[in-house]
Amino acid sequence: MTIVFKVSDNIKEKMKEFYKDKMRPKTPPYAIFQAEEEDTIITLYESGKVMFQGVSADIDANLWIDMEKHLNNRTITLDDKKKEKDKKDKEDDFYFYMSTIGSDEVGTGDFFGPIVVTASYVSKNDISFLEELGVKDSKKLTDEKIKKIVPQLINRIPYVTFTLSNLDYNHYHEQGYNMNQIKAILHNKVLYAMKQKGYPYDKIVVDQFVYPKKYFEHIKDATEKVTNITFTTKAESKCGSVAAASCICRYIFLMKMDEMSKELGIEIPKGANDIVDQVGIQIVKKFGDNKLREIAKLNFKNIEKIKESFNQ
């Protein structure tokens, strides 16, 4: 998907600041910068036009469209490609009322804490149960809400989960695997295990984080693989099993973070921000460098900032 529109001068400055750590070293002709955000390439041109290319282009573009509306009272209408996608998204809504197997993950954007991937099975007879609990994309629910509803959810909804420690994540990364490769391998692992349980399903749905062709390239060496997958963006809002998997993942992730905080005697924050850097510094001072290899993702930029603090 490609989305292009013109941004105001004040938004251009905010974009440069926002993407400063994600800029590519080479810039196309007449471009101010080109940055990479997961599966979206963002290019800001001297003319003021910005181009978003990739699976999640609409999600990344909407951040700045909303900011134009809020700061400049500008309403930006996307092109026909976006309209066609919106129409397709509406057509995809019926997944929610099917019996499905779906998978999701959390922890990929967190410096501390594991990556948790879950596949769940939701029968169409259990959709009303999910709606009563308020199950939806876990990112839209508070941690308190997740901790309240997921124990009820896992007592009724079949699921398979896999937790990848950061020690294992770092080993993968050192072997040359990128985040999307790791995610694809883990999604395939839990989907296969869930499918083997034999529940009757209409669709297997995965929230699309990479193009399907690339996904299957990532799992080509797997001896056991699931291939009859429906890939769709924003799957948590379209598919009950993906929404359930999203919530279960988040719950397990939060439990792991709480355990780590108690073990270390330090409140471990989520995300990859400045607060995370400060906690990383505390951990190195208290436990040494090797502890980060065990509990943190060493390819994140946070590690550079933590090291810099000890070289000053």
Side-chain angles (χ1 to χ4, degrees):
M1 182 192 307
T2 299
I3 294 173
V4 180
F5 57 88
K6 194 165 185 176
V7 293
S8 305
D9 289 342
N10 60 334
I11 301 299
K12 281 173 27 178
E13 295 306 312
K14 289 183 180 296
M15 292 185 81
K16 286 191 282 186
E17 176 64 23
F18 185 84
Y19 293 114
K20 67 180 181 181
D21 293 330
K22 299 177 181 180
M23 291 186 184
R24 288 180 160 185
K26 293 185 179 180
T27 303
Y30 309 109
I32 296 172
F33 72 77
Q34 188 170 75
E36 188 168 355
E37 175 78 52
E38 290 290 333
D39 284 313
T40 304
I41 304 300
I42 302 98
T43 309
L44 178 63
Y45 290 94
E46 294 169 356
S47 64
K49 285 189 176 180
V50 61
M51 179 167 63
F52 299 84
Q53 297 171 289
V55 174
S56 303
D58 60 328
I59 297 171
D60 294 292
N62 279 332
L63 168 68
W64 304 103
I65 291 169
D66 290 344
M67 198 170 292
E68 283 282 4
K69 178 69 175 175
H70 177 68
L71 296 180
N72 302 320
N73 200 28
R74 282 186 64 206
T75 300
I76 295 173
T77 303
L78 298 184
D79 59 20
D80 291 338
K81 289 182 181 178
K82 176 62 168 61
K83 291 176 183 176
E84 288 171 8
K85 184 178 183 301
D86 286 344
K87 181 180 178 182
K88 185 178 184 301
D89 282 349
K90 289 176 182 177
E91 292 169 352
D92 287 342
D93 285 345
F94 70 88
Y95 293 150
F96 198 83
Y97 297 98
M98 289 182 174
S99 295
T100 60
I101 292 173
S103 60
D104 202 6
E105 84 289 327
V106 301
T108 58
D110 296 275
F111 180 62
F112 294 116
I115 294 173
V116 184
V117 185
T118 298
S120 78
Y121 170 75
V122 173
S123 163
K124 57 187 175 184
N125 297 326
D126 284 327
I127 294 300
S128 59
F129 170 68
L130 263 61
E131 291 176 323
E132 288 169 10
L133 281 183
V135 170
K136 54 186 175 183
D137 179 7
S138 65
K139 293 185 287 293
K140 297 177 182 177
L141 299 173
T142 64
D143 291 350
E144 292 71 24
K145 181 72 171 177
I146 288 289
K147 290 178 179 179
K148 181 179 179 181
I149 67 174
V150 171
Q152 301 172 64
L153 187 64
I154 60 180
N155 281 335
R156 180 159 170 176
I157 301 300
Y159 70 98
V160 172
T161 194
F162 183 84
T163 300
L164 184 75
S165 71
N166 279 334
L167 197 62
D168 289 334
Y169 169 83
N170 292 326
H171 182 64
Y172 264 118
H173 194 264
E174 287 163 1
Q175 290 182 307
Y177 289 83
N178 63 36
M179 184 65 85
N180 281 338
Q181 286 175 295
I182 294 170
K183 285 165 66 173
I185 290 167
L186 298 183
H187 274 265
N188 180 66
K189 185 183 184 76
V190 295
L191 286 171
Y192 183 84
M194 190 73 249
K195 187 178 177 182
Q196 291 304 106
K197 291 181 179 293
Y199 293 103
Y201 65 88
D202 299 308
K203 297 273 187 182
I204 295 177
V205 182
V206 172
D207 187 36
Q208 185 168 326
F209 57 88
V210 68
Y211 288 114
K213 181 180 178 182
K214 201 70 177 174
Y215 175 90
F216 291 117
E217 284 180 17
H218 291 334
I219 65 169
K220 62 182 173 61
D221 294 329
T223 55
E224 300 169 330
K225 58 185 80 169
V226 176
T227 57
N228 57 326
I229 296 172
T230 297
F231 294 93
T232 182
T233 56
K234 302 178 184 176
E236 305 95 333
S237 61
K238 301 173 187 175
C239 177
S241 60
V242 178
S246 172
C247 292
I248 294 168
C249 280
R250 190 68 182 174
Y251 178 79
I252 295 170
F253 178 82
L254 291 172
M255 294 299 103
K256 294 291 184 183
M257 292 292 273
D258 287 347
E259 288 173 14
M260 194 190 312
S261 297
K262 289 176 183 176
E263 178 190 335
L264 300 178
I266 300 172
E267 187 67 30
I268 305 299
K270 299 185 288 293
N273 50 33
D274 293 342
I275 296 172
V276 169
D277 297 339
Q278 295 306 310
V279 171
I281 293 167
Q282 288 182 53
I283 289 171
V284 172
K285 286 179 178 177
K286 189 173 180 180
F287 300 99
D289 292 344
N290 288 337
K291 195 64 178 176
L292 285 183
R293 180 174 180 80
E294 180 185 334
I295 64 172
K297 299 176 182 69
L298 298 185
N299 66 312
F300 277 39
K301 290 187 180 294
N302 302 80
I303 202 72
E304 297 170 11
K305 297 175 184 176
I306 292 168
K307 288 179 178 178
E308 282 174 9
S309 71
F310 290 96
N311 296 328
Q312 293 174 353

